[in-house]
């Protein structure tokens, strides 16, 4: 059953009424539960708490977006988090999401959700290093949740970065260590925002990402 209260704090950032977003997210939740039986899309322990653990957690990214953000790229999309809740909340012809996910069954799931909810979403059934960044629109925002450590993630994201691109990444309590591990190899500016849904979690906003030159 839809839990509008869990996502209400972010309703001011939606492009349409809260009730419409909640209806689409409930359809998404039903598909998630149905497909979970044959493909591990989210942790089984969190499946009954999908509205706060997954939907609200994804939608908190909205607070960090700019008015002109239109093109989104999500790496390692898995079950579609955070990209699909964001696509539902920002559902309009002006916002476009590209999801990169190499697992074939998860690709089928993502495409099913996008089709049934009428989302402006393209799903690439490849690893990020198999996607030609020259043929991909430069994203305003890159997202990723529970994919890889920051040093590795920087390597996957960097080919897609444009001058104005920002990466907004969900990270847990190890974020301080991950930042320290990334600094010797990567230059970037970072803003750390405390998570609304995880007492030990943060959102890292990275800009100006570039590999350090080897002297």
């Amino acid at each position: 059953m839809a839990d509008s209260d869990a996502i209400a704090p972010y309703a001011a950032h939606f492009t349409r009424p809260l009730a419409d977003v909640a209806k689409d997210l409930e359809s998404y939740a039903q598909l998630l539960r149905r497909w979970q039986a044959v493909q591990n899309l989210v942790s089984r322990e969190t499946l009954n708490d999908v509205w706060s653990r997954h939907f609200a957690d994804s939608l908190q990214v909205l607070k960090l977006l700019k008015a002109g953000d239109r093109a989104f790229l999500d790496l390692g999309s898995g079950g579609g988090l955070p990209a699909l809740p964001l696509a539902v909340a920002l559902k309009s012809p002006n916002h476009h999401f590209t999801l990169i996910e190499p697992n074939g069954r998860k690709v089928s799931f993502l495409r099913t959700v996008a089709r049934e909810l009428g989302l402006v979403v393209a799903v690439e059934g490849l690893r990020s290093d198999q996607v030609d960044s020259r043929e991909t629109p430069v994203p305003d925002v890159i997202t990723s949740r529970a994919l890889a450590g920051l040093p590795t993630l920087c390597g996957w994201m960097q080919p897609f970065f444009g001058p104005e691109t920002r990466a907004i990444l969900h990270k847990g309590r190890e974020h301080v260590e991950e930042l320290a591990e990334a600094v010797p190899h990567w230059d970037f500016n970072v803003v750390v925002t405390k998570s609304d849904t995880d007492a030990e979690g943060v959102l890292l906003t990275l800009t100006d990402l570039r590999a350090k030159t080897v002297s």
Side-chain angles (χ1 to χ4, degrees):
M1 183 175 180
D3 182 5
S4 298
D5 289 344
I7 63 170
Y10 311 106
H13 305 282
F14 298 169
T15 60
R16 57 206 186 102
L18 171 62
D20 293 345
V21 172
K23 180 180 179 181
D24 276 355
L25 287 177
E26 178 55 28
S27 296
Y28 176 26
Q30 291 175 7
L31 287 167
L32 197 60
R33 296 185 185 103
R34 192 180 312 154
W35 282 67
Q36 182 77 9
V38 295
Q39 176 65 53
N40 187 34
L41 298 169
V42 297
S43 169
R44 297 184 187 279
E45 292 77 16
T46 64
L47 195 59
N48 293 327
D49 193 20
V50 68
W51 284 84
S52 59
R53 289 291 296 275
H54 296 301
F55 293 167
D57 187 52
S58 298
L59 292 174
Q60 64 178 315
V61 170
L62 294 170
K63 300 189 305 180
L64 303 179
L65 299 184
K66 298 179 180 179
D69 290 334
R70 294 290 182 268
F72 295 80
L73 177 68
D74 187 67
L75 301 185
S77 299
L81 305 162
L84 289 182
L86 293 173
V88 168
L90 300 175
K91 190 175 180 182
S92 79
N94 298 321
H95 296 87
H96 179 269
F97 289 77
T98 300
L99 279 56
I100 298 178
E101 170 55 52
N103 182 290
R105 286 187 177 181
K106 292 179 180 179
V107 167
S108 296
F109 169 74
L110 296 170
R111 288 174 175 165
T112 297
V113 176
R115 181 178 63 252
E116 295 201 7
L117 299 186
L119 304 176
V120 185
V121 166
V123 183
E124 296 281 357
L126 300 167
R127 299 193 313 266
S128 60
D129 60 0
Q130 295 174 315
V131 177
D132 190 342
S133 59
R134 296 169 300 180
E135 297 180 0
T136 304
V138 176
D140 298 304
V141 176
I142 297 175
T143 55
S144 184
R145 183 176 184 256
L147 177 60
L150 187 59
T152 299
L153 196 51
C154 285
W156 292 343
M157 294 189 301
Q158 197 277 330
F160 301 99
F161 251 74
E164 303 301 324
T165 299
R166 303 177 338 275
I168 303 177
L169 312 172
H170 285 76
K171 285 294 178 182
R173 59 185 176 184
E174 300 87 3
H175 70 277
V176 174
E177 291 83 355
E178 290 191 37
L179 284 166
E181 291 169 1
V183 165
H185 308 285
W186 298 95
D187 282 319
F188 51 79
N189 297 318
V190 61
V191 175
V192 180
T193 304
K194 184 175 174 56
S195 171
D196 292 341
T197 60
D198 179 356
E200 297 181 313
V202 299
L203 296 177
L204 299 182
T205 302
L206 270 61
T207 55
D208 299 320
L209 175 64
R210 58 204 180 278
K212 285 192 172 176
T213 56
V214 179
S215 56

